[in-house]
mmCIF file of all heavy atoms in Angstrom:
data_model
loop_
_atom_site.group_PDB
_atom_site.id
_atom_site.type_symbol
_atom_site.label_atom_id
_atom_site.label_comp_id
_atom_site.label_asym_id
_atom_site.label_seq_id
_atom_site.Cartn_x
_atom_site.Cartn_y
_atom_site.Cartn_z
ATOM 1 N N ASP A 1 6.304 12.659 -78.840
ATOM 2 C CA ASP A 1 5.658 13.701 -78.039
ATOM 3 C C ASP A 1 6.725 14.626 -77.453
ATOM 4 O O ASP A 1 7.901 14.551 -77.819
ATOM 5 C CB ASP A 1 4.766 13.086 -76.954
ATOM 6 C CG ASP A 1 5.539 12.217 -75.973
ATOM 7 O OD1 ASP A 1 6.782 12.322 -75.933
ATOM 8 O OD2 ASP A 1 4.906 11.434 -75.242
ATOM 9 N N ASN A 2 6.320 15.468 -76.541
ATOM 10 C CA ASN A 2 7.246 16.463 -76.003
ATOM 11 C C ASN A 2 8.340 15.861 -75.124
ATOM 12 O O ASN A 2 9.319 16.533 -74.791
ATOM 13 C CB ASN A 2 6.479 17.526 -75.203
ATOM 14 C CG ASN A 2 5.692 16.933 -74.056
ATOM 15 O OD1 ASN A 2 4.846 16.058 -74.268
ATOM 16 N ND2 ASN A 2 5.938 17.394 -72.853
ATOM 17 N N PHE A 3 8.203 14.573 -74.756
ATOM 18 C CA PHE A 3 9.255 13.911 -73.988
ATOM 19 C C PHE A 3 10.294 13.259 -74.903
ATOM 20 O O PHE A 3 11.449 13.083 -74.511
ATOM 21 C CB PHE A 3 8.653 12.835 -73.061
ATOM 22 C CG PHE A 3 7.771 13.392 -71.989
ATOM 23 C CD1 PHE A 3 6.400 13.261 -72.066
ATOM 24 C CD2 PHE A 3 8.313 14.077 -70.903
ATOM 25 C CE1 PHE A 3 5.573 13.778 -71.079
ATOM 26 C CE2 PHE A 3 7.505 14.600 -69.910
ATOM 27 C CZ PHE A 3 6.124 14.454 -69.995
ATOM 28 N N THR A 4 9.875 12.910 -76.109
ATOM 29 C CA THR A 4 10.777 12.216 -77.041
ATOM 30 C C THR A 4 11.948 13.101 -77.431
ATOM 31 O O THR A 4 13.114 12.680 -77.364
ATOM 32 C CB THR A 4 10.017 11.801 -78.321
ATOM 33 O OG1 THR A 4 8.789 11.168 -77.975
ATOM 34 C CG2 THR A 4 10.872 10.892 -79.179
ATOM 35 N N PHE A 5 11.652 14.319 -77.862
ATOM 36 C CA PHE A 5 12.678 15.180 -78.454
ATOM 37 C C PHE A 5 13.796 15.591 -77.488
ATOM 38 O O PHE A 5 14.967 15.610 -77.883
ATOM 39 C CB PHE A 5 12.018 16.405 -79.090
ATOM 40 C CG PHE A 5 11.186 16.063 -80.292
ATOM 41 C CD1 PHE A 5 9.804 16.144 -80.249
ATOM 42 C CD2 PHE A 5 11.784 15.627 -81.470
ATOM 43 C CE1 PHE A 5 9.033 15.818 -81.348
ATOM 44 C CE2 PHE A 5 11.025 15.306 -82.579
ATOM 45 C CZ PHE A 5 9.642 15.388 -82.524
ATOM 46 N N PRO A 6 13.503 15.919 -76.214
ATOM 47 C CA PRO A 6 14.610 16.262 -75.310
ATOM 48 C C PRO A 6 15.628 15.133 -75.152
ATOM 49 O O PRO A 6 16.836 15.379 -75.120
ATOM 50 C CB PRO A 6 13.897 16.568 -73.983
ATOM 51 C CG PRO A 6 12.551 17.046 -74.387
ATOM 52 C CD PRO A 6 12.193 16.214 -75.579
ATOM 53 N N PHE A 7 15.142 13.873 -75.065
ATOM 54 C CA PHE A 7 16.055 12.747 -74.905
ATOM 55 C C PHE A 7 16.942 12.579 -76.139
ATOM 56 O O PHE A 7 18.156 12.349 -76.032
ATOM 57 C CB PHE A 7 15.280 11.449 -74.651
ATOM 58 C CG PHE A 7 14.411 11.476 -73.420
ATOM 59 C CD1 PHE A 7 13.158 10.886 -73.411
ATOM 60 C CD2 PHE A 7 14.850 12.100 -72.259
ATOM 61 C CE1 PHE A 7 12.355 10.896 -72.284
ATOM 62 C CE2 PHE A 7 14.064 12.123 -71.119
ATOM 63 C CZ PHE A 7 12.807 11.522 -71.129
ATOM 64 N N VAL A 8 16.344 12.717 -77.315
ATOM 65 C CA VAL A 8 17.112 12.559 -78.559
ATOM 66 C C VAL A 8 18.123 13.694 -78.702
ATOM 67 O O VAL A 8 19.278 13.478 -79.099
ATOM 68 C CB VAL A 8 16.178 12.521 -79.786
ATOM 69 C CG1 VAL A 8 16.990 12.351 -81.068
ATOM 70 C CG2 VAL A 8 15.175 11.386 -79.655
ATOM 71 N N LEU A 9 17.709 14.901 -78.379
ATOM 72 C CA LEU A 9 18.611 16.051 -78.480
ATOM 73 C C LEU A 9 19.788 15.924 -77.508
ATOM 74 O O LEU A 9 20.922 16.298 -77.834
ATOM 75 C CB LEU A 9 17.850 17.346 -78.217
ATOM 76 C CG LEU A 9 16.926 17.815 -79.349
ATOM 77 C CD1 LEU A 9 16.007 18.919 -78.867
ATOM 78 C CD2 LEU A 9 17.754 18.296 -80.553
ATOM 79 N N LYS A 10 19.538 15.381 -76.318
ATOM 80 C CA LYS A 10 20.630 15.167 -75.361
ATOM 81 C C LYS A 10 21.631 14.151 -75.904
ATOM 82 O O LYS A 10 22.847 14.296 -75.721
ATOM 83 C CB LYS A 10 20.068 14.700 -74.015
ATOM 84 C CG LYS A 10 19.400 15.825 -73.227
ATOM 85 C CD LYS A 10 18.817 15.331 -71.916
ATOM 86 C CE LYS A 10 18.132 16.481 -71.168
ATOM 87 N NZ LYS A 10 17.512 16.016 -69.906
ATOM 88 N N ALA A 11 21.115 13.113 -76.590
ATOM 89 C CA ALA A 11 22.008 12.123 -77.205
ATOM 90 C C ALA A 11 22.839 12.772 -78.305
ATOM 91 O O ALA A 11 24.052 12.537 -78.412
ATOM 92 C CB ALA A 11 21.188 10.955 -77.763
ATOM 93 N N CYS A 12 22.212 13.605 -79.125
ATOM 94 C CA CYS A 12 22.939 14.291 -80.199
ATOM 95 C C CYS A 12 24.009 15.224 -79.641
ATOM 96 O O CYS A 12 25.098 15.354 -80.210
ATOM 97 C CB CYS A 12 21.966 15.094 -81.070
ATOM 98 S SG CYS A 12 20.860 14.073 -82.063
ATOM 99 N N THR A 13 23.706 15.866 -78.516
ATOM 100 C CA THR A 13 24.682 16.758 -77.877
ATOM 101 C C THR A 13 25.885 15.970 -77.390
ATOM 102 O O THR A 13 27.036 16.382 -77.591
ATOM 103 C CB THR A 13 24.029 17.509 -76.698
ATOM 104 O OG1 THR A 13 22.860 18.202 -77.161
ATOM 105 C CG2 THR A 13 25.002 18.505 -76.084
ATOM 106 N N LYS A 14 25.630 14.823 -76.747
ATOM 107 C CA LYS A 14 26.736 13.983 -76.265
ATOM 108 C C LYS A 14 27.594 13.482 -77.413
ATOM 109 O O LYS A 14 28.816 13.396 -77.307
ATOM 110 C CB LYS A 14 26.180 12.776 -75.488
ATOM 111 C CG LYS A 14 25.702 13.074 -74.089
ATOM 112 C CD LYS A 14 25.298 11.778 -73.411
ATOM 113 C CE LYS A 14 24.813 12.012 -71.998
ATOM 114 N NZ LYS A 14 24.409 10.744 -71.333
ATOM 115 N N LEU A 15 26.936 13.116 -78.514
ATOM 116 C CA LEU A 15 27.636 12.557 -79.670
ATOM 117 C C LEU A 15 28.257 13.633 -80.557
ATOM 118 O O LEU A 15 29.019 13.321 -81.471
ATOM 119 C CB LEU A 15 26.670 11.711 -80.504
ATOM 120 C CG LEU A 15 26.143 10.437 -79.846
ATOM 121 C CD1 LEU A 15 24.917 9.917 -80.600
ATOM 122 C CD2 LEU A 15 27.225 9.369 -79.798
ATOM 123 N N PHE A 16 27.861 14.876 -80.317
ATOM 124 C CA PHE A 16 28.286 16.013 -81.148
ATOM 125 C C PHE A 16 27.801 15.821 -82.588
ATOM 126 O O PHE A 16 28.521 16.117 -83.551
ATOM 127 C CB PHE A 16 29.816 16.182 -81.112
ATOM 128 C CG PHE A 16 30.235 17.627 -81.160
ATOM 129 C CD1 PHE A 16 30.237 18.404 -80.020
ATOM 130 C CD2 PHE A 16 30.610 18.224 -82.346
ATOM 131 C CE1 PHE A 16 30.610 19.736 -80.055
ATOM 132 C CE2 PHE A 16 30.979 19.559 -82.403
ATOM 133 C CZ PHE A 16 30.981 20.316 -81.244
ATOM 134 N N TRP A 17 26.590 15.318 -82.730
ATOM 135 C CA TRP A 17 25.992 15.088 -84.044
ATOM 136 C C TRP A 17 25.164 16.316 -84.421
ATOM 137 O O TRP A 17 23.959 16.365 -84.175
ATOM 138 C CB TRP A 17 25.130 13.836 -84.026
ATOM 139 C CG TRP A 17 25.935 12.560 -84.049
ATOM 140 C CD1 TRP A 17 27.276 12.453 -83.945
ATOM 141 C CD2 TRP A 17 25.426 11.231 -84.174
ATOM 142 N NE1 TRP A 17 27.662 11.129 -84.011
ATOM 143 C CE2 TRP A 17 26.552 10.359 -84.150
ATOM 144 C CE3 TRP A 17 24.150 10.697 -84.297
ATOM 145 C CZ2 TRP A 17 26.419 8.975 -84.246
ATOM 146 C CZ3 TRP A 17 24.015 9.309 -84.392
ATOM 147 C CH2 TRP A 17 25.133 8.470 -84.381
ATOM 148 N N VAL A 18 25.813 17.281 -85.012
ATOM 149 C CA VAL A 18 25.174 18.566 -85.306
ATOM 150 C C VAL A 18 24.087 18.411 -86.367
ATOM 151 O O VAL A 18 22.975 18.931 -86.208
ATOM 152 C CB VAL A 18 26.226 19.595 -85.761
ATOM 153 C CG1 VAL A 18 25.556 20.919 -86.109
ATOM 154 C CG2 VAL A 18 27.277 19.798 -84.673
ATOM 155 N N LYS A 19 24.376 17.703 -87.458
ATOM 156 C CA LYS A 19 23.398 17.560 -88.539
ATOM 157 C C LYS A 19 22.160 16.811 -88.071
ATOM 158 O O LYS A 19 21.029 17.193 -88.386
ATOM 159 C CB LYS A 19 24.034 16.841 -89.729
ATOM 160 C CG LYS A 19 25.050 17.679 -90.489
ATOM 161 C CD LYS A 19 25.562 16.939 -91.719
ATOM 162 C CE LYS A 19 26.543 17.804 -92.495
ATOM 163 N NZ LYS A 19 27.079 17.097 -93.698
ATOM 164 N N THR A 20 22.370 15.738 -87.318
ATOM 165 C CA THR A 20 21.236 14.957 -86.812
ATOM 166 C C THR A 20 20.405 15.796 -85.860
ATOM 167 O O THR A 20 19.163 15.806 -85.939
ATOM 168 C CB THR A 20 21.728 13.692 -86.096
ATOM 169 O OG1 THR A 20 22.555 12.934 -86.982
ATOM 170 C CG2 THR A 20 20.560 12.830 -85.648
ATOM 171 N N GLY A 21 21.069 16.525 -84.961
ATOM 172 C CA GLY A 21 20.345 17.379 -84.026
ATOM 173 C C GLY A 21 19.569 18.474 -84.730
ATOM 174 O O GLY A 21 18.437 18.808 -84.342
ATOM 175 N N SER A 22 20.138 19.025 -85.793
ATOM 176 C CA SER A 22 19.432 20.067 -86.558
ATOM 177 C C SER A 22 18.211 19.493 -87.259
ATOM 178 O O SER A 22 17.174 20.163 -87.363
ATOM 179 C CB SER A 22 20.387 20.679 -87.591
ATOM 180 O OG SER A 22 21.486 21.304 -86.942
ATOM 181 N N ALA A 23 18.321 18.244 -87.727
ATOM 182 C CA ALA A 23 17.168 17.590 -88.364
ATOM 183 C C ALA A 23 16.067 17.336 -87.339
ATOM 184 O O ALA A 23 14.873 17.497 -87.638
ATOM 185 C CB ALA A 23 17.613 16.270 -89.002
ATOM 186 N N VAL A 24 16.466 16.957 -86.113
ATOM 187 C CA VAL A 24 15.488 16.770 -85.028
ATOM 188 C C VAL A 24 14.816 18.102 -84.713
ATOM 189 O O VAL A 24 13.594 18.157 -84.474
ATOM 190 C CB VAL A 24 16.184 16.190 -83.776
ATOM 191 C CG1 VAL A 24 15.219 16.160 -82.588
ATOM 192 C CG2 VAL A 24 16.724 14.784 -84.059
ATOM 193 N N HIS A 25 15.580 19.186 -84.740
ATOM 194 C CA HIS A 25 15.044 20.533 -84.509
ATOM 195 C C HIS A 25 13.934 20.831 -85.519
ATOM 196 O O HIS A 25 12.828 21.277 -85.154
ATOM 197 C CB HIS A 25 16.178 21.557 -84.626
ATOM 198 C CG HIS A 25 15.751 22.966 -84.342
ATOM 199 N ND1 HIS A 25 16.639 24.028 -84.345
ATOM 200 C CD2 HIS A 25 14.531 23.505 -84.053
ATOM 201 C CE1 HIS A 25 15.992 25.139 -84.055
ATOM 202 N NE2 HIS A 25 14.715 24.859 -83.888
ATOM 203 N N ALA A 26 14.221 20.573 -86.782
ATOM 204 C CA ALA A 26 13.229 20.849 -87.830
ATOM 205 C C ALA A 26 11.965 20.018 -87.629
ATOM 206 O O ALA A 26 10.842 20.509 -87.802
ATOM 207 C CB ALA A 26 13.847 20.562 -89.201
ATOM 208 N N ARG A 27 12.152 18.765 -87.239
ATOM 209 C CA ARG A 27 10.998 17.873 -87.095
ATOM 210 C C ARG A 27 10.141 18.247 -85.887
ATOM 211 O O ARG A 27 8.906 18.203 -85.953
ATOM 212 C CB ARG A 27 11.471 16.426 -86.960
ATOM 213 C CG ARG A 27 10.344 15.403 -87.080
ATOM 214 C CD ARG A 27 10.860 14.042 -87.480
ATOM 215 N NE ARG A 27 9.755 13.115 -87.663
ATOM 216 C CZ ARG A 27 9.413 12.169 -86.804
ATOM 217 N NH1 ARG A 27 10.112 12.012 -85.683
ATOM 218 N NH2 ARG A 27 8.390 11.373 -87.032
ATOM 219 N N LEU A 28 10.768 18.642 -84.788
ATOM 220 C CA LEU A 28 9.969 19.011 -83.612
ATOM 221 C C LEU A 28 9.151 20.273 -83.876
ATOM 222 O O LEU A 28 8.052 20.454 -83.324
ATOM 223 C CB LEU A 28 10.859 19.144 -82.368
ATOM 224 C CG LEU A 28 11.832 20.315 -82.211
ATOM 225 C CD1 LEU A 28 11.151 21.540 -81.632
ATOM 226 C CD2 LEU A 28 12.990 19.906 -81.314
ATOM 227 N N LEU A 29 9.690 21.165 -84.731
ATOM 228 C CA LEU A 29 8.917 22.353 -85.104
ATOM 229 C C LEU A 29 7.691 21.970 -85.909
ATOM 230 O O LEU A 29 6.608 22.552 -85.734
ATOM 231 C CB LEU A 29 9.799 23.320 -85.900
ATOM 232 C CG LEU A 29 10.925 24.032 -85.132
ATOM 233 C CD1 LEU A 29 11.752 24.893 -86.068
ATOM 234 C CD2 LEU A 29 10.360 24.864 -83.984
ATOM 235 N N ARG A 30 7.841 20.966 -86.792
ATOM 236 C CA ARG A 30 6.697 20.502 -87.595
ATOM 237 C C ARG A 30 5.615 19.899 -86.712
ATOM 238 O O ARG A 30 4.421 19.977 -87.021
ATOM 239 C CB ARG A 30 7.156 19.464 -88.628
ATOM 240 C CG ARG A 30 7.940 20.061 -89.786
ATOM 241 C CD ARG A 30 7.946 19.138 -90.993
ATOM 242 N NE ARG A 30 8.580 17.866 -90.725
ATOM 243 C CZ ARG A 30 9.879 17.630 -90.857
ATOM 244 N NH1 ARG A 30 10.686 18.620 -91.245
ATOM 245 N NH2 ARG A 30 10.372 16.435 -90.617
ATOM 246 N N PHE A 31 6.029 19.291 -85.602
ATOM 247 C CA PHE A 31 5.060 18.695 -84.681
ATOM 248 C C PHE A 31 4.519 19.710 -83.681
ATOM 249 O O PHE A 31 3.677 19.377 -82.843
ATOM 250 C CB PHE A 31 5.687 17.518 -83.931
ATOM 251 C CG PHE A 31 5.665 16.220 -84.688
ATOM 252 C CD1 PHE A 31 6.722 15.851 -85.492
ATOM 253 C CD2 PHE A 31 4.575 15.369 -84.611
ATOM 254 C CE1 PHE A 31 6.716 14.663 -86.187
ATOM 255 C CE2 PHE A 31 4.546 14.176 -85.304
ATOM 256 C CZ PHE A 31 5.616 13.810 -86.110
ATOM 257 N N GLY A 32 5.015 20.952 -83.741
ATOM 258 C CA GLY A 32 4.461 22.014 -82.908
ATOM 259 C C GLY A 32 4.973 22.058 -81.487
ATOM 260 O O GLY A 32 4.281 22.576 -80.592
ATOM 261 N N PHE A 33 6.187 21.531 -81.243
ATOM 262 C CA PHE A 33 6.727 21.518 -79.882
ATOM 263 C C PHE A 33 7.753 22.627 -79.629
ATOM 264 O O PHE A 33 8.410 22.636 -78.592
ATOM 265 C CB PHE A 33 7.372 20.153 -79.576
ATOM 266 C CG PHE A 33 6.383 19.023 -79.516
ATOM 267 C CD1 PHE A 33 6.469 17.973 -80.417
ATOM 268 C CD2 PHE A 33 5.363 19.017 -78.585
ATOM 269 C CE1 PHE A 33 5.564 16.925 -80.380
ATOM 270 C CE2 PHE A 33 4.445 17.975 -78.531
ATOM 271 C CZ PHE A 33 4.540 16.926 -79.437
ATOM 272 N N GLY A 34 7.876 23.553 -80.569
ATOM 273 C CA GLY A 34 8.872 24.606 -80.427
ATOM 274 C C GLY A 34 8.629 25.537 -79.256
ATOM 275 O O GLY A 34 9.568 26.150 -78.737
ATOM 276 N N SER A 35 7.385 25.651 -78.813
ATOM 277 C CA SER A 35 7.068 26.559 -77.709
ATOM 278 C C SER A 35 7.094 25.871 -76.350
ATOM 279 O O SER A 35 6.967 26.538 -75.317
ATOM 280 C CB SER A 35 5.682 27.178 -77.936
ATOM 281 O OG SER A 35 4.692 26.166 -78.014
#
C-alpha cells in the first residue's frame, strides 16, 4: 500500500541501491501510488 513504498525507498536511499529503487519506482506506478 502507500505506506510500503516510502519505507522501501528510504532503505534503497540509505543503501545507495539505484537499480532496486528504480524498480520500486516502476512498481509503485503500476499500483497507482505515483500521485
